[in-house]
Amino acid sequence: MRLRAALVCLAVTALALALAMVEAMNGLPSIARRSRSTAVPAGEDTKIGRAIAPQLAAHPGLSGIHALPDAREAFAARMLVAEHAERSLDIQYYIWRLDVSGQLLFAALARAAERGVRVRLLLDDHNSANLDGVLADLDAHEKIEVRLFNPAAIRGQRWLAYLVDFRRMNRRMHNKSFTADNRVTIVGGRNVGDEYFDIARDVAFVDLDVMAIGPVVQDVSEDFDRYWASESSQPVAALLPAGEFTGASSLRIPPGRKAVAAEYADVLHSAFVREILDGSRKPEWATARMVSDDPAKVLGRNAPETNLFPRLQSILGAPAAQLQLVSPYFVPTAQGVQWFTAAARRGVKIAVLTNSLEATDVPAVHAGYAKRRVALLKAGITVYEARREQDGARDRTGLAGSSDTSLHAKTFAVDGSRIFVGSFNFDPRSAHLNTELGFVIDSPAMARDRSRIRARSARCRL
């Protein structure tokens, strides 16, 4: 009987695989009739435009940067941008959870569309399996268009898509940006989900975003257009059954979470938002350059020299005195260890903060770092590992840990004068497979502030 059952199971699996291969061979829908759109021109005829015009005039050629290390302020910033948009919202993310923060921000997008704002939402398809219904309903509104990046041709059993088309499906869009009216944008390490905004019950990610105004926003908008029009960007209308838009109020908060949802829905009355609106919270004015990968990277069609990492190295330059690196998934590889060792021999002081094994949410990635740890220490590199705290205390103002905290920020500073903030992890996946996005900011003040490793951490020793 057991043998018969095993044979039946094997036959069913083989049939499913065969059907999946047939479906995969049929491929994705044609994008020939896909709509075309570009970022709206930036202007001063909106509330945001009028508010920032005097500041931009006083700082020609510079971008105004607000660092967002605090999780609640990072959520408030996104709600603020969504609620004040008048012409457009262009948004791309690797992860968007269907939880409290995800539902509140989906509702904010729906309200924007209801008041006439054009909304373009581009999500990587890797984590969108349970979003199909919501995305189809949002896409049904005439002012909202949703696209999935590098989607699975097999929509039901997603794992089969990876099995029969692994080379393509293993490459993902890791970019994160939230842009309103081509005037203000939020870029950094956070996805949309409760764990990124200090709402989750079981885990909280310590992360870093920046909110920017000025010339760098146009660069983000142009980059969004590049991804939106890329071969890998598929309209959900061609992938999913048609939905029905029933308004922002139809979006449901998970059971048992209405109290925290009410608290977070009220962030527009927070001190942070008041300070942004009345101008009492001043941005850091600096030259900021956007760096990103070509979307063709996920198809393996871009030239290696166009990847974000070599361009980032060119812009930042070789460290002369100091390198401070924060990376949750730090996998330097043998070549990376050689580079760090050579820099240390030149007299560069290098400090790295990454997750300890107990703090990481991806133990397999930690293994890739752990085998390089001794070599880094022998080279004189200071390594800190963020750890989980046992007392449950949480510090929301810096790179601090708690009993349920994991490091997720991706930032590094060079010589106390230049800083990178974005989605790039110092690992082979970010370098060679995923697409990434971030800012290089020429600001000694930000570099000194963000480069200080302030996590409750254990210093690694030989």
Side-chain angles (χ1 to χ4, degrees):
M1 290 294 292
R2 291 181 180 178
L3 178 60
R4 182 182 298 176
L7 290 173
V8 170
C9 182
L10 183 62
V12 170
T13 302
L15 178 60
L17 181 58
L19 292 174
M21 292 181 68
V22 170
E23 187 173 351
M25 284 188 292
N26 289 335
L28 294 165
S30 170
I31 58 174
R33 297 183 179 180
R34 183 180 60 181
S35 66
R36 297 182 181 181
S37 60
T38 57
V40 300
E44 298 180 11
D45 56 342
T46 64
K47 291 179 181 177
I48 296 175
R50 289 189 293 272
I52 67 175
Q55 300 177 61
L56 297 179
H59 301 88
L62 301 180
S63 294
I65 310 291
H66 290 281
L68 300 171
D70 182 276
R72 295 191 178 215
E73 290 184 357
F75 180 75
R78 287 164 172 81
M79 289 292 288
L80 174 67
V81 167
E83 296 293 355
H84 282 76
E86 294 181 61
R87 301 182 65 187
S88 68
L89 283 167
D90 290 336
I91 300 164
Q92 69 178 142
Y93 278 98
Y94 173 61
I95 293 173
W96 193 301
R97 304 283 190 212
L98 201 59
D99 52 17
V100 173
S101 60
Q103 291 281 35
L104 289 175
L105 284 166
F106 273 144
L109 303 190
R111 286 193 296 273
E114 288 173 335
R115 63 177 186 267
V117 176
R118 186 196 70 183
V119 179
R120 296 189 296 175
L121 177 62
L122 178 61
L123 299 180
D124 185 83
D125 192 43
H126 179 66
N127 295 283
S128 69
N130 68 330
L131 297 179
D132 284 0
V134 175
L135 297 182
D137 289 346
L138 288 171
D139 189 70
H141 192 284
E142 63 178 356
K143 283 291 186 177
I144 302 176
E145 184 176 358
V146 183
R147 294 184 180 180
L148 293 174
F149 192 86
N150 200 22
I154 304 166
R155 303 305 302 172
Q157 300 295 324
R158 196 72 62 91
W159 65 273
L160 287 173
Y162 278 84
L163 190 61
V164 300
D165 196 10
F166 181 78
R167 186 178 182 278
R168 177 179 70 87
M169 295 295 293
N170 189 41
R171 296 169 177 260
R172 309 311 320 172
M173 180 190 76
H174 198 232
N175 310 35
K176 305 123 170 55
S177 67
F178 200 114
T179 307
D181 294 346
N182 202 359
R183 277 302 200 174
V184 58
T185 192
I186 301 168
V187 166
R190 289 184 178 92
N191 294 293
V192 173
D194 289 356
E195 62 267 42
Y196 302 97
F197 300 118
D198 204 10
I199 307 177
R201 294 167 172 169
D202 52 349
V203 65
F205 283 128
V206 174
D207 221 321
L208 178 63
D209 299 319
V210 292
M211 182 166 64
I213 58 175
V216 77
V217 179
Q218 180 65 38
D219 297 334
V220 174
S221 292
E222 291 175 0
D223 195 63
F224 181 92
D225 283 347
R226 184 168 64 148
Y227 276 79
W228 188 253
S230 73
E231 184 178 339
S232 298
S233 180
Q234 282 275 354
V236 298
L239 296 168
L240 307 176
E244 180 181 1
F245 184 83
T246 53
S249 60
S250 65
L251 293 163
R252 303 299 182 190
I253 299 300
R257 302 289 278 158
K258 291 187 177 180
V260 71
E263 176 188 351
Y264 270 75
D266 199 42
V267 294
L268 291 176
H269 301 101
S270 67
F272 167 79
V273 170
R274 288 197 303 271
E275 291 167 3
I276 292 292
L277 293 178
D278 66 20
S280 59
R281 180 170 294 208
K282 303 296 183 183
E284 173 73 11
W285 290 96
T287 299
R289 285 160 284 187
M290 186 212 70
V291 285
S292 74
D293 281 305
D294 187 330
K297 183 180 179 182
V298 300
L299 300 174
R301 296 178 183 171
N302 67 313
E305 60 270 18
T306 67
N307 286 348
L308 179 145
F309 189 47
R311 291 172 53 226
L312 194 57
Q313 289 176 300
S314 176
I315 292 172
L316 286 169
Q322 185 184 65
L323 172 64
Q324 303 268 351
L325 187 150
V326 179
S327 178
Y329 314 117
F330 178 60
V331 184
T333 72
Q335 184 179 3
V337 170
Q338 292 176 1
W339 186 91
F340 282 115
T341 300
R345 286 173 179 168
R346 295 197 311 269
V348 179
K349 293 183 179 180
I350 302 174
V352 176
L353 171 63
T354 190
N355 276 315
S356 64
L357 179 58
E358 68 172 356
T360 187
D361 62 317
V362 188
V365 173
H366 185 272
Y369 145 72
K371 66 183 180 181
R372 310 291 182 191
R373 184 167 46 197
V374 171
L376 293 170
L377 294 171
K378 285 182 176 180
I381 294 160
T382 302
V383 180
Y384 296 88
E385 292 186 354
R387 67 172 187 256
R388 291 180 184 268
E389 291 294 319
Q390 299 304 312
D391 60 5
R394 185 178 298 168
D395 175 3
R396 295 188 177 97
T397 61
L399 298 179
S402 77
S403 60
D404 55 0
T405 295
S406 180
L407 179 70
H408 196 259
K410 308 107 169 38
T411 180
F412 43 93
V414 175
D415 295 335
S417 62
R418 305 178 299 284
I419 184 171
F420 169 82
V421 178
S423 66
F424 183 86
N425 290 302
F426 205 97
D427 70 347
R429 172 164 285 280
S430 282
H432 304 298
L433 297 177
N434 292 348
T435 66
E436 308 288 352
L437 169 70
F439 288 164
V440 175
I441 305 166
D442 295 337
S443 169
M446 289 189 68
R448 285 194 301 269
D449 184 38
R450 297 300 147 211
S451 69
R452 284 180 291 173
I453 298 177
R454 294 181 288 154
R456 293 189 182 100
S457 57
R459 181 170 177 173
C460 296
R461 298 182 185 276
L462 287 173

